[in-house]
Amino acid sequence: FQMLLRGANGVGYTSYPDNSIFKFCDVAVRSGMDVFRVFDSLNYVDNLRLGIDAVGAAGGVVECAIGYSGDVLDDASKYNLEYYLNLARELQSCGIHVLAIKDMAGLLKPAAATKLVTALRDEFPHLPIHVHTHDTAGTGVASMLAAANAGA
């Protein structure tokens, strides 16, 4: 089974004490939960790290999601390719098992999916890469095909 874990927010919308996140993950794993997609809406690594550590300590599979925003094709954007590569490097060093790209707003266009997944695959050849999108803009299927062709 798989679930979403909002890092330091657990399954809620407020930050919880660290020990409660660790206990929740422990109980969840013992109750049959396997994979935890850990994410933070702002890609705040300290919040992500708490979820990563709690899931890892409980023996779960850590799928850490990078929230996609902006346009990776725009080199002048804060959310350019280097932003995502640096974030992925930091998360990989935390001991994640799977890297996910979480396109919550459906902004990931096919060319951007190709560019981002290709760069991630080149840098992390053995790390599984998952891509999740909401088809808000109507490009979801094309973006998923582009991501798969690029190595996701």
Side-chain angles (χ1 to χ4, degrees), residues 25-138:
C25 290
D26 180 59
V27 170
V29 167
R30 286 188 287 114
S31 299
M33 194 58 59
D34 303 301
V35 179
F36 294 74
R37 181 178 287 167
V38 180
F39 77 102
D40 180 83
S41 62
L42 300 176
N43 291 331
Y44 183 55
V45 175
D46 287 342
N47 283 350
L48 290 166
R49 189 176 292 117
L50 174 58
I52 293 166
D53 291 347
V55 172
V61 175
V62 180
E63 178 180 315
C64 192
I66 292 174
Y68 183 79
S69 186
D71 185 358
V72 75
L73 298 174
D74 181 0
D75 292 333
S77 170
K78 172 185 176 178
Y79 305 105
N80 59 23
L81 184 59
E82 202 54 39
Y83 168 85
Y84 291 105
L85 288 174
N86 286 334
L87 184 55
R89 289 178 192 120
E90 195 165 357
L91 297 174
Q92 197 264 346
S93 73
C94 292
I96 65 172
H97 302 115
V98 179
L99 179 66
I101 301 164
K102 186 172 178 63
D103 179 25
M104 297 171 279
L107 300 174
L108 185 66
K109 296 177 273 190
T114 298
K115 180 176 183 175
L116 180 55
V117 173
T118 297
L120 290 168
R121 177 56 58 224
D122 287 347
E123 184 145 348
F124 308 102
H126 304 293
L127 186 65
I129 299 172
H130 294 173
V131 182
H132 169 87
T133 190
H134 293 216
D135 198 17
T136 311

